[in-house]
Amino acid sequence: MHIGVPKEIKAHEYRVGLTPDSVRELMTRGHTVTVETGAGDGIGCDDEAYRNAGATIVDGAEAVFGGAEMIVKVKEPQATERKRLSAGQILFTYLHLAPDAEQTADLVASGASCVAYETITDAAGGLPLLAPMSEVAGRLAAQAAARGLERVVGGRGVLMGGVPGVSPARVVVIGGGVVGENAITMALGLGADVVVLDNNLTVLRRLAARFGPSLRTVYATTAATEAEVLAADAVIGAVLVAGAETPQLVSADQVAAMPRGAVLVDVAIDQGGCFETSRATTHAEPTYLVDGVVHYCVANMPGAVPRTSTYALNHATLPHVVALAEKGLAGALADDDHLANGLNVHAGRVTCAPVAARHGYEYITPDDALAG
């Protein structure tokens, strides 16, 4: 199969779909890889590194999209990239379609087969291609909260870990999944006073067993969530509903009642955000204020550490890239129900139920779409 890797064009996105090591693995299996010039610069891999791995380097995204049977990216295709997709082409990347009607419509119109990293599952019920970036984003979230508390960006002027005689910051993590667990790890490591909210007792028991009395666990009722949020110096939103838009768990009225200079970090912003006052920001302008509360809502947080993120992501994506390249779309999805769950759009039909429901499309199962 001919695989194309374009340079990411989303603002301040420095990751790349394939590392030179991944390219070499594909080349040894007889596939062809075309990489846009400069695609790997953000992770410290220049064109020569890709040439040495066997890739062909081309100028411009048009040359990549025009010749490839499968496009491997990191972030959702931007408007100019969506126009370059063609019927029968495979797109393999993060999509996050539930909050994005425009992207969904463009992908449907393209006729391409679009497989989303974030809805591929595993035997344990996890999201294995989302997990590496969730780990990175969770750890970055604690760092973002610490920076947001600094007075120079509008924060309360509180040091996350405090000092002897002065209390540390009170950090509330909403959601105890992969993002939440990693945010807790970092926040506790920085010396913060941390509480986690979740409505799954099994999750709370697991976190309590791991972190011990250093972490306070609270069952996430509406009343408990409000009480913890209003008492917090920083709140990290770490809630995910696979393939669907994230529920808003903190209202605008609650934000207005928080202490001035408190911080909200919305890791769920790619799926619409879990705070009513959230709107997507960029690494160039990561924060804004609402009612004196600092909001950090960067939609591609792991892009801040692109080398770590790209290598971590490739370790998870490469087996699926190989399967798609060697078996084709239909063969790979027929052999792996978990990979089939990643198919969101195929030949003008929506094959992800939450996306179809959110945007008013008729839902068709991946099996039926491929059969048709």
Side-chain angles (χ1 to χ4, degrees):
M1 183 178 282
H2 185 176
I3 300 157
V5 182
K7 184 174 183 177
E8 298 291 329
I9 61 173
K10 186 165 185 171
H12 292 272
E13 180 52 70
Y14 305 107
R15 290 172 289 179
V16 60
L18 293 176
T19 65
D21 290 348
S22 294
V23 169
R24 182 176 179 181
E25 186 69 23
L26 291 162
M27 297 297 295
T28 62
R29 294 170 178 268
H31 305 293
T32 301
V33 182
T34 298
V35 178
E36 184 178 356
T37 184
D41 287 351
I43 66 167
C45 295
D46 60 14
D47 290 348
E48 192 61 24
Y50 282 95
R51 286 194 188 95
N52 290 339
T56 300
I57 305 300
V58 298
D59 289 327
E62 188 172 352
V64 175
F65 280 83
E69 298 166 86
M70 176 165 60
I71 298 295
V72 179
K73 283 175 42 61
V74 178
K75 287 306 292 176
E76 70 279 357
Q78 304 301 289
T80 56
E81 295 174 309
R82 299 195 293 267
K83 292 177 182 177
R84 294 190 170 107
L85 290 168
S86 57
Q89 200 168 43
I90 301 170
L91 173 66
F92 193 38
T93 188
Y94 286 116
L95 292 176
H96 299 293
L97 293 180
D100 195 338
E102 183 178 351
Q103 184 194 176
T104 303
D106 286 350
L107 295 183
V108 168
S110 75
S113 299
C114 306
V115 184
Y117 295 163
E118 72 274 7
T119 60
I120 293 172
T121 55
D122 62 20
L127 302 171
L129 273 63
L130 190 62
M133 297 304 93
S134 295
E135 291 168 347
V136 172
R139 290 171 183 247
L140 286 172
Q143 295 180 191
R147 288 195 302 271
L149 285 170
E150 296 176 7
R151 191 71 187 97
V152 291
V153 296
R156 302 193 74 190
V158 173
L159 183 65
M160 182 75 91
V163 293
V166 181
S167 297
R170 184 181 181 123
V171 177
V172 173
V173 179
I174 304 178
V178 177
V179 171
E181 185 169 357
N182 280 271
I184 292 164
T185 298
M186 291 295 286
L188 287 174
L190 290 169
D193 174 16
V194 184
V195 58
V196 61
L197 291 152
D198 203 290
N199 60 5
N200 186 324
L201 284 176
T202 300
V203 169
L204 294 178
R205 290 189 182 104
R206 174 178 56 79
L207 294 172
R210 175 179 173 184
F211 295 106
S214 297
L215 174 69
R216 187 161 60 89
T217 60
V218 175
Y219 187 80
T221 63
T222 300
T225 300
E226 180 177 57
E228 294 295 341
V229 165
L230 297 187
D233 294 302
V235 179
I236 296 173
V239 175
L240 173 72
V241 180
E245 199 164 18
T246 304
Q248 292 183 347
L249 302 176
V250 177
S251 70
D253 288 343
Q254 290 168 336
V255 171
M258 293 178 69
R260 302 307 85 183
V263 179
L264 295 177
V265 179
D266 198 338
V267 188
I269 193 64
D270 273 324
Q271 292 290 113
C274 54
F275 309 131
E276 186 179 358
T277 47
S278 291
R279 58 176 173 80
T281 61
T282 67
H283 290 294
E285 296 183 26
T287 63
Y288 61 92
L289 294 173
V290 175
D291 292 322
V293 175
V294 179
H295 289 59
Y296 179 100
C297 306
V298 175
N300 58 328
M301 288 177 66
V305 286
R307 187 173 177 88
T308 297
S309 298
T310 296
Y311 278 91
L313 181 59
N314 266 230
H315 295 159
T317 58
L318 182 59
H320 298 295
V321 175
V322 170
L324 289 164
E326 298 198 339
K327 301 176 183 179
L329 181 73
L333 270 55
D335 286 350
D336 187 345
D337 290 341
H338 297 295
L339 179 57
N341 288 334
L343 188 66
N344 279 210
V345 175
H346 174 71
R349 307 293 296 275
V350 176
T351 55
C352 178
V355 173
R358 180 67 179 84
H359 300 305
Y361 290 92
E362 178 186 1
Y363 168 67
I364 183 171
T365 68
D367 285 346
D368 288 344
L370 291 167

